[in-house]
Amino acid sequence: MKTIFVWIPVLLSMWALSCSSGGGSDTNNNTPGDTNTPPVSFTLDAGYRINFGSNPRIMDYQDGELSLGYEYQAVELVDTPGERGYIAFSTDGLNFTGHRQFAPGENRGKGVLVDGTTWRRYAEDQETGTVRSESSVDGVNFVPDEGYRYDLNEHDGGRMGVRTFFVDKYGGVVLLYNNNTIVNGEEVILVKRAYSPPGDAGLNFTLTEDDVIGMTHDDGTMQSFPDPHAIVLPDGRVRLIVMQQDRNQPMPPSGRTGTIYSFISADGDLFAFEAELFAWDSFSEFEVRSLNDPKIVGFEDGSYRIYVAAMVPTETGEEDQGEYKWIIISATSLSE
């Protein structure tokens, strides 16, 4: 079995945060490689979507136009991390235009439509160790909600990492988020689940699972799965996309690592291994040193696309940008 662990690049990001503490419980001991015929497959798209971009984020998809947020990694912004948040737009999911900095508050996105009429978006309040929210009836104008939605101090030392929210087929709101824990001296990054039940409109979350994947290495150590991002499929199932980086391997760019996996759930609770989608060594067009932060989106034609940040060597004429750079690449599945 391929044993894999994680390295997270040190990127100053508005939405990818480190986390600490926590715990885990075995829920599903399937391992990558158990399935010979993957239920889903993605084909790498030629070229790259955004040069000097990392931390892709699906901001919106409406009327055939995709809004993609990202962190602009050109060296001129190295001392101004607050100016790195950018957004670009595409009608085909491959070619992006209009690259510009986020307008004030735009980087927070629209959140999720929690009850058919109310948009709610969430943010971690690091000062209090809680998750707070804002609500809107038009997805544009938001007002803060009173109180907090989830107390990270109870289970996670007041911190959480990358997170994803969605409404399940029952009408409840699911929060999946990364949490770090130390097992036998080794840092492990789990995907935890908190739930706001139907009728609550995403106002009160309760921890339900310490580890929704529950896979272990051959030595029994829990496997790490950073950077979760989930999408609800038309039949109500939930696909969870995550990243892993090889266990006990040199950090990029010294090493080359990064694999994108898909897990599937009937209802967004526990997830079973679905497929290994692609990895750093799947690429022949680029010398990929690392893959990070996968995000998945479904289009009107029934296709799906994953956007992911890749560390690659800089090209001729880009020597002033350093030896390596980040680009955003993509992979497409034409049907479910």
Side-chain angles (χ1 to χ4, degrees):
M1 182 186 74
K2 183 181 181 182
T3 57
I4 32 191
F5 196 56
V6 61
W7 167 78
I8 298 180
V10 180
L11 297 177
L12 294 174
S13 170
M14 299 160 293
W15 47 74
L17 303 174
S18 62
C19 52
S20 61
S21 184
S25 59
D26 287 340
T27 55
N28 169 20
N29 284 315
N30 294 335
T31 56
D34 287 348
T35 302
N36 294 322
T37 305
V40 65
S41 63
F42 281 77
T43 300
L44 296 174
D45 300 317
Y48 53 75
R49 310 287 70 79
I50 296 175
N51 199 15
F52 297 105
S54 69
N55 302 83
R57 181 182 178 190
I58 308 300
M59 304 303 298
D60 197 10
Y61 178 63
Q62 186 172 327
D63 299 328
E65 183 178 69
L66 173 66
S67 304
L68 185 71
Y70 65 98
E71 189 167 293
Y72 185 44
Q73 291 290 330
V75 295
E76 62 262 30
L77 297 182
V78 66
D79 296 321
T80 55
E83 299 178 11
R84 288 185 177 180
Y86 271 63
I87 188 169
F89 308 90
S90 176
T91 55
D92 64 4
L94 295 172
N95 300 285
F96 286 85
T97 61
H99 301 263
R100 61 169 173 80
Q101 289 182 327
F102 279 119
E106 188 179 22
N107 65 302
R108 299 178 184 178
K110 294 173 64 174
V112 292
L113 190 61
V114 294
D115 60 5
T117 60
T118 303
W119 292 92
R120 184 157 283 121
R121 63 190 186 188
Y122 301 89
E124 178 186 6
D125 183 342
Q126 295 188 12
E127 291 186 3
T128 63
T130 60
V131 176
R132 297 184 181 271
S133 65
E134 299 175 315
S135 59
S136 171
V137 295
D138 59 9
V140 177
N141 301 292
F142 284 81
V143 295
D145 299 317
E146 293 184 3
Y148 60 84
R149 312 284 72 81
Y150 186 55
D151 190 353
L152 295 164
N153 298 290
E154 293 183 3
H155 310 285
D156 304 287
R159 297 295 299 275
M160 69 176 177
V162 176
R163 73 298 306 250
T164 181
F165 293 85
F166 60 90
V167 177
D168 66 17
K169 62 183 179 182
Y170 308 114
V173 183
V174 178
L175 161 60
L176 301 179
Y177 66 99
N178 274 152
N179 169 267
N180 291 28
T181 187
I182 302 298
V183 179
N184 296 326
E186 185 173 297
E187 184 180 53
V188 179
I189 301 177
L190 305 176
V191 180
K192 304 181 74 168
R193 179 183 187 269
Y195 192 57
S196 167
D200 183 55
L203 288 173
N204 301 280
F205 287 85
T206 302
L207 180 69
T208 63
E209 297 293 339
D210 281 327
D211 183 4
V212 300
I213 294 175
M215 286 170 46
T216 59
H217 294 288
D218 287 336
D219 62 6
T221 303
M222 291 176 289
Q223 293 196 35
S224 290
F225 290 100
D227 300 347
H229 191 242
I231 189 171
V232 180
L233 303 177
D235 61 6
R237 292 181 302 152
V238 180
R239 175 164 290 131
L240 174 63
I241 306 298
V242 292
M243 176 272 289
Q244 271 198 342
Q245 296 199 322
D246 293 342
R247 193 185 192 195
N248 299 325
Q249 294 297 312
M251 290 184 179
S254 298
R256 302 179 66 182
T257 184
T259 304
I260 307 301
Y261 290 106
S262 174
F263 290 84
I264 199 75
S265 173
D267 54 10
D269 189 352
L270 301 180
F271 288 80
F273 172 75
E274 184 179 30
E276 178 181 325
L277 301 180
F278 54 92
W280 64 270
D281 55 0
S282 303
F283 294 81
S284 58
E285 186 176 1
F286 307 108
E287 181 190 325
V288 172
R289 312 299 298 187
S290 182
L291 293 176
N292 299 82
D293 297 303
K295 300 294 186 295
I296 184 171
V297 62
F299 294 108
E300 294 173 348
D301 63 2
S303 65
Y304 294 85
R305 182 163 284 126
I306 293 174
Y307 298 92
V308 61
M311 178 190 286
V312 300
T314 49
E315 303 171 58
T316 301
E318 297 176 341
E319 290 82 2
D320 61 331
Q321 298 291 322
E323 186 176 358
Y324 295 95
K325 65 178 180 177
W326 288 95
I327 61 175
I328 295 176
I329 58 88
S330 63
T332 302
S333 177
L334 297 180
S335 62
E336 170 52 29

